[in-house]
Amino acid sequence: MDIAEIKALLANSDSQQRRKGIVALRDYDTDVASPLLLAKQDDPEFTVRSFVAMGLGRKRSDAGFAALLTMLDADPDANVRAEASNSLAMYGDDAIPHLVSTFHTSQNWLIRRSILAAMIDLHSPGHMLEICLVALTDKDMTVVNAGIDHLTTLVDTEQSGDALAAILPLKTADSWYTRMHVAAALKRFDHPDAQAALIELRQDPHHKVVAAALEGLLP
């Protein structure tokens, strides 16, 4: 698709056509694609802005980075902000302080889960530990469970002991689903305390927790 066709799609009143135009920009270099993406940063349709955020992660530029920061901080839709966090992570270490700061200030479950996932590829164990500890205090159980899961990425780092210490108290969580995540996480840690906790969880009243604990004790 040539640029004239793409520009026509981006100007279309139908948001589906605008999204089609944004997708077509993937075949063009950043110098061509980025200005057109940036021009749709404030599109009235949140799905279009989500596509813009996605595109700015693939067509990286200083202007794109700045636009993603604005979207992460100020876009009214959580889906767009979550997509912006994913794309910011593609910029590497420069994104880390912004993602960590947003994790602390945002209470939205989708944004927090997106940042947890985005941080994996940035290989910053200290920051991962920091946001996981915050996640464990979240009111949303899906964020808590994601925090448990992502603490396992620290097994082979200097933060391994702190990660295990954060997980262990949750073996008695009220939610069986959380206890199941704990059992699944503990099997990643080669530590006597993890093994002892898995033995305890074999006596859990919920069969799915027991199954996860038994799996964790397999050699």
Side-chain angles (χ1 to χ4, degrees):
M1 188 181 300
D2 64 34
I3 287 297
E5 292 176 295
I6 292 174
K7 288 181 177 179
L9 288 173
L10 294 176
N12 197 293
S13 61
D14 184 344
S15 62
Q16 185 172 349
Q17 294 302 307
R18 299 199 299 277
R19 292 197 300 271
K20 184 178 178 181
I22 291 169
V23 171
L25 288 171
R26 66 188 175 189
D27 296 327
Y28 287 85
D29 292 338
T30 298
D31 289 346
V32 174
S34 183
L36 294 174
L37 289 168
L38 291 168
K40 305 306 293 182
Q41 177 186 346
D42 296 318
D43 192 278
E45 175 58 46
F46 85 89
T47 58
V48 174
R49 301 197 305 276
S50 291
F51 274 51
V52 168
M54 191 183 307
L56 291 173
R58 290 170 172 78
K59 306 297 180 181
R60 292 185 289 280
S61 67
D62 290 345
F65 185 80
L68 286 169
L69 289 180
T70 298
M71 298 173 90
L72 180 64
D73 290 338
D75 196 278
D77 192 277
N79 293 280
V80 178
R81 296 181 68 195
E83 195 61 60
S85 71
N86 293 331
S87 288
L88 274 171
M90 297 180 185
Y91 286 76
D93 291 348
D94 288 345
I96 292 175
H98 302 286
L99 294 174
V100 172
S101 175
T102 298
F103 196 93
H104 281 285
T105 57
S106 175
Q107 301 299 313
N108 182 274
W109 68 270
L110 178 60
I111 294 169
R112 281 190 160 183
R113 291 194 62 178
S114 295
I115 291 174
L116 283 168
M119 285 290 292
I120 291 177
D121 293 331
L122 293 175
H123 307 294
S124 182
H127 290 106
M128 178 64 89
L129 177 64
E130 178 183 341
I131 63 174
C132 283
L133 293 179
V134 175
L136 297 186
T137 67
D138 201 287
K139 295 179 181 179
D140 189 298
M141 281 296 102
T142 67
V143 177
V144 174
N145 295 339
I148 294 168
D149 296 343
H150 284 79
L151 281 169
T152 65
T153 66
L154 303 175
V155 166
D156 296 320
T157 71
E158 293 181 358
Q159 287 72 26
S160 179
D162 290 333
L164 177 58
I167 293 171
L168 285 171
L170 293 171
K171 67 186 179 183
T172 57
D174 291 338
S175 168
W176 71 264
Y177 200 61
T178 294
R179 300 196 304 275
M180 184 180 71
H181 278 263
V182 168
L186 289 174
K187 69 182 181 182
R188 301 285 302 278
F189 292 86
D190 184 16
H191 191 281
D193 289 347
Q195 293 297 302
L198 284 169
I199 291 172
E200 289 182 42
L201 287 168
R202 287 192 305 175
Q203 309 302 318
D204 195 272
H206 199 286
H207 68 281
K208 289 190 176 180
V209 180
V210 172
L214 288 172
E215 182 181 346
L217 289 168
L218 292 174

